[in-house]
Amino acid sequence: MSTNGAHTEPLTLQLASGRRLTVEGSNLILHDPNPSANKKPKPDSNSRQSIPLYNILWSQVSGGNIVVEFAHLSSKSKFNVEKWTLPIQEPATSEQAGSGPETFTTELLSRSYAKAQQKRKAYVLINPNSGPGNGVKIWERDVKPLFQAARMDLDIVFLKRGGEATELVEQMDINRYDTVIPCSGDGTPFEVFNGFAKRPDARLALSKIAVGHIPCGSGNAMACNLYGSHRPTYAALALIKGVVTPLDLVSITQGDTRIVSFLSQALGVIAESDLGTEHLRWMGSARFDFGVVSRLFRKKAYPCDIAMQVVVEKPDVKEHYRRHASEPSLAAAQADDAAEGNGLPKLKYGTVKDKLPAGWEFVSYDKIGTFYCGTMAYMAPNVNFFPAAVTADGCIDLITINSDMSTSAALKTFMSVDSNKFFDSPNVHYKKVAAYRIIPRNQKDGYISIDGERVPFEPFQAEVHQGLGRVISKRGVYEAEGPANWEKQST
């Protein structure tokens, strides 16, 4: 049996009472001539019970038994830890005693984890105040048992205030851990990335420590993109079995400040509907919908000037996506000199305070309603604003939508976000850029959102750093559906 590469050889272990375990394709099968009706999972035939290899958390030989711990889908929204404890057949000879069960468990784990790292060392940061405030309960009841069953090495911190995650990550020992896992909304990952960015060895830290996410907030975009779900136990299993993936990060300069963005930047309807409806938190997620609709009815405009370094125009975006969506490996990242341990990369285009770089496209917008940029696809569950986003193509996806269309057309455009028709709407102006600068006009006070956090209503500049960060994703790609019909594009 081989523990490297594709596994094609059969894997079988004889058990007591005529039972046996086999690995068949992507499943572990228990062949049991006398199955119990109470077994989990339920038999798929009179004598077979099956567990997907993806769900297997651990296996070992203990006290004459083989023990298999796995994630069992107890409902549509939750995995629980279950266990098989199966007596091993007594060997006929001492020669047989030296092989068999131990080799089987080693190979079973190798096949179950595939490219994922076993026994990850995790720095877990739990935000008790995220979303409805269930972070601690979600961690203790739902997530921690899965991590423990997978034999993860856990250091756990319960956060007490905003900004604490940034301080902890800035001071952490990056040789002690493989991953930092916030249990939170999207705000704590934002703090984590900026904690790494503040370190004197920022590039080394960002390339060495992968960031995960257990969704516990009202905004869980990071988990939706990396794991395809906003449900905590789905994300936990994906973190256990996931792969380290490069991630584009964006430097934001505003005044004398430089921060790092991993998700999005917004001005206009999106930013105001989020940050400007804090007083409506009692409405839950509906407050955002209310904010969007009310502003669309008013046809509110946000005049501004935008300069950008364009990489791909909308007609060529699908072809760009086709090329880059199939590169889910660390080799696609081009973070330069990470091993040198220096701070953040130098800015190729300077800061917002510098003269505009030569060759940038400059547009003055008088009737812009939405300015929205993202490096991830989903901005909330089923809200795929940036369907052409990929993890590390060195681009920011930039959307502008005018405010002067009819209310019905505007509503239809925004409602198409969850039906994969948004990208192809003629009202959506979509580009991929390497950098941009936005200068608001005619408004003294407004809303600018960076990863959901409010920043001053002032000009800012953004520049992408290809593959600078690392995350743990389910498969090495975003779990979002790409632009409609992108597979039909050809080189």
Side-chain angles (χ1 to χ4, degrees), residues 400-416:
T400 57
I401 301 174
N402 291 335
S403 63
D404 58 351
M405 70 181 85
S406 68
T407 301
S408 61
L411 288 172
K412 182 178 180 181
T413 299
F414 275 87
M415 290 175 65
S416 69

Side-chain angles (χ1 to χ4, degrees), residues 221-263:
M222 185 172 182
C224 292
N225 285 285
L226 300 181
Y227 317 123
S229 176
H230 65 286
R231 303 187 187 281
T233 60
Y234 280 72
L237 182 56
L239 274 165
I240 292 167
K241 292 301 183 75
V243 294
V244 176
T245 306
L247 181 72
D248 288 343
L249 296 177
V250 179
S251 278
I252 306 293
T253 61
Q254 189 176 51
D256 295 322
T257 301
R258 180 181 180 182
I259 60 175
V260 169
S261 169
F262 77 97
L263 179 63

Side-chain angles (χ1 to χ4, degrees), residues 346-365:
K346 292 182 179 179
L347 295 168
K348 297 179 182 178
Y349 303 104
T351 75
V352 70
K353 298 173 72 174
D354 296 323
K355 183 179 178 180
L356 275 176
W360 280 27
E361 178 182 308
F362 182 90
V363 182
S364 186
Y365 291 91

Side-chain angles (χ1 to χ4, degrees), residues 73 115 120 179 219 277 295 305 351 375 383 395 439 443 464 483:
L73 189 60
K115 296 180 179 180
R120 282 193 162 108
T179 179
T277 58
R295 284 155 180 80
D305 299 323
T351 75
T375 49
V383 181
C395 295
I439 305 168
Q443 190 174 347
V464 67

Side-chain angles (χ1 to χ4, degrees), residues 2-238:
S2 171
T3 57
N4 297 309
H7 299 283
T8 58
E9 299 176 21
L11 185 62
T12 301
L13 179 66
Q14 291 296 138
L15 304 171
S17 303
R19 293 186 289 184
R20 75 181 189 277
L21 285 172
T22 63
V23 174
E24 300 178 14
S26 59
N27 295 285
L28 174 66
I29 310 294
L30 172 60
H31 303 265
D32 188 351
N34 300 295
S36 167
N38 297 321
K39 288 288 186 182
K40 293 181 180 180
K42 292 182 180 180
D44 56 13
S45 70
N46 291 334
S47 62
R48 289 164 52 100
Q49 297 174 67
S50 175
I51 306 171
L53 294 182
Y54 178 79
N55 290 32
I56 292 176
L57 304 171
W58 200 250
S59 180
Q60 63 185 24
V61 176
S62 176
N65 299 310
I66 183 170
V67 180
V68 180
E69 296 175 68
F70 58 95
H72 172 64
L73 189 60
S74 58
S75 68
K76 291 183 178 180
S77 61
K78 185 180 177 183
F79 286 96
N80 289 325
V81 177
E82 298 289 348
K83 182 188 295 186
W84 283 348
T85 302
L86 306 168
I88 301 168
Q89 183 180 40
E90 289 294 328
T93 67
S94 58
E95 181 182 30
Q96 290 174 321
S99 61
E102 295 288 353
T103 303
F104 183 90
T105 57
T106 299
E107 181 68 10
L108 175 61
L109 286 175
S110 177
R111 298 191 188 192
S112 299
Y113 276 81
K115 296 180 179 180
Q117 180 181 335
Q118 299 180 28
K119 296 184 175 181
R120 282 193 162 108
K121 299 176 181 178
Y123 193 30
V124 181
L125 306 178
I126 301 166
N127 187 343
N129 300 315
S130 290
N134 294 328
V136 175
K137 181 178 180 181
I138 289 171
W139 165 253
E140 294 288 351
R141 181 192 63 192
D142 300 333
V143 176
K144 185 178 179 181
L146 289 165
F147 283 179
Q148 289 179 326
R151 306 308 193 263
M152 288 176 64
D153 184 353
L154 306 171
D155 281 349
I156 304 161
V157 177
F158 295 91
L159 302 174
K160 299 180 177 62
R161 55 183 171 80
E164 184 180 2
T166 295
E167 296 169 6
L168 291 170
V169 170
E170 187 178 359
Q171 301 299 323
M172 70 178 281
D173 179 1
I174 62 173
N175 295 314
R176 168 72 180 87
Y177 304 100
D178 307 308
T179 179
V180 175
I181 303 177
C183 297
S184 64
D186 293 312
T188 306
F190 172 79
E191 291 190 17
V192 168
F193 282 116
N194 278 281
F196 285 134
K198 288 177 177 289
R199 296 172 62 106
D201 61 349
R203 275 182 285 181
L204 176 61
L206 286 164
S207 67
K208 183 178 178 64
I209 305 295
V211 181
H213 185 214
I214 296 295
C216 301
S218 54
N220 300 301
M222 185 172 182
C224 292
N225 285 285
L226 300 181
Y227 317 123
S229 176
H230 65 286
R231 303 187 187 281
T233 60
Y234 280 72
L237 182 56

